[in-house]
Amino acid sequence: MKFSDIPSHESAKQRLRDMIDNNRIPHALLLEGPAGIGKFALARAAAQYIHCENRIDGDSCGKCAACLQHQSFNHIDTHFVFPVVKRKNSSGAVVSDDYIGEWRDFLRDNPYMDFQQWLVSLDSPNAQPAIYVSESEQLVHKLSFTAHRARYKVVLLWLPERLNVDASNKLLKQIEEPFGDTLFIMVSNNAKAILPTIYSRTQRIELKRLPDDVIADSLITRYSIDETDAMALAHNAEGNMITAIHSISLSKESHRFLELFMELMRQSYQRHVKELKAWATDVASVANRSCVSWTIANGLYARISFTISTFRDSTI
Ligand SMILES: [Zn+2]
């Protein structure tokens, strides 16, 4: 992830560049702000810039060995810490590394870090994931070794508000008296929920919601949404790219059901029984493909079945 891959947040990028270029990087940095604005992408871009072997024009090169490792979420001196849940039927301690495969897939598919999607990745849609003391213990052990190749080891910690009390206390010493080559970059959606002992020891960069035009541009280029729809979706998203992306799926789903409904009316009006049965089969298959759509499709399916039986009875 390069700085140039991330829309908006130009002043935050400049602050990060200045810190890194002048070698005045705080040992515990916190990027805080609302969800869905690209904070974790910015943290990743900063880590890549720190490790890049050939920085160019205030950005990482994207081509050196370190950049390539970052782009595959596999840099040897970068450690990811994120909230997890205990696996079903497991009584042992749980750490982020237990979910590293799911995490890499999640990062690849969710640059804006959709928390609900992370719950799906954890196979626990209703869970309250946390960062446990076992994580802090493992991290302290990892950080006791010097960096393998880079000057700095970087810990990218997603959602420090989900560190439980024991985990926070265990990590506190690392943050207060870190090894000289260790940098923490934390990313929070809700900084008020971070334990004050951790929060007060961070240097903070506050990020704002995304402007509507930035969201609209992204919807147009990445999702081929037309300009008018993109601006409307962006306005309703209130600066949150995750909300905007969800709206696209809902909008597409609504459009599909409107088409189905119009087809139903057309065939009913023309009394095309064979086509109406085909329509019912089509709706049933939609219901099978989409859990979200199931209730709506099932309702329509019941309605068309009733329409067919009524029509058949009236023609006998
Ligand atoms: Zn590079």
Side-chain angles (χ1 to χ4, degrees), residues 48 51-55 60-68:
Q48 184 167 318
H51 288 144
C52 177
E53 296 155 14
N54 187 25
R55 295 175 197 159
S60 49
C61 72
K63 295 175 183 169
C64 69
C67 282
L68 294 178

Side-chain angles (χ1 to χ4, degrees), residues 27 36 60 111 143 205 225 254 279 298:
H27 285 291
S60 49
L143 297 178
I205 296 179
I225 305 292
S254 302
W279 183 98
N298 204 36

Side-chain angles (χ1 to χ4, degrees), residues 72-74 80 82 84 87 95-110 118 121-122:
S72 59
F73 319 110
N74 215 13
F80 291 110
F82 44 86
V84 292
R87 287 198 189 273
V95 292
S96 299
D97 282 354
D98 295 338
Y99 285 94
I100 198 66
E102 289 90 339
W103 174 252
R104 288 180 181 136
D105 290 343
F106 174 68
L107 289 181
R108 193 171 296 114
D109 298 339
N110 292 274
W118 176 236
S121 301
L122 292 173

Side-chain angles (χ1 to χ4, degrees), residues 44 47-53 64-80 100 104 107 142 147-156:
R44 283 174 50 205
Q48 184 167 318
Y49 190 58
I50 288 167
H51 288 144
C52 177
E53 296 155 14
C64 69
C67 282
L68 294 178
Q69 287 174 7
H70 267 283
Q71 285 156 22
S72 59
F73 319 110
N74 215 13
H75 187 271
I76 195 163
D77 289 312
T78 301
H79 305 282
F80 291 110
I100 198 66
R104 288 180 181 136
L107 289 181
K142 280 182 183 175
H148 286 80
R149 293 181 55 167
R151 176 169 179 184
Y152 290 109
K153 294 167 286 188
V154 177
V155 179
L156 291 174

Side-chain angles (χ1 to χ4, degrees), residues 114-127:
D114 181 346
F115 184 71
Q116 293 305 318
Q117 198 54 49
W118 176 236
L119 295 182
V120 171
S121 301
L122 292 173
D123 197 20
S124 301
N126 301 311

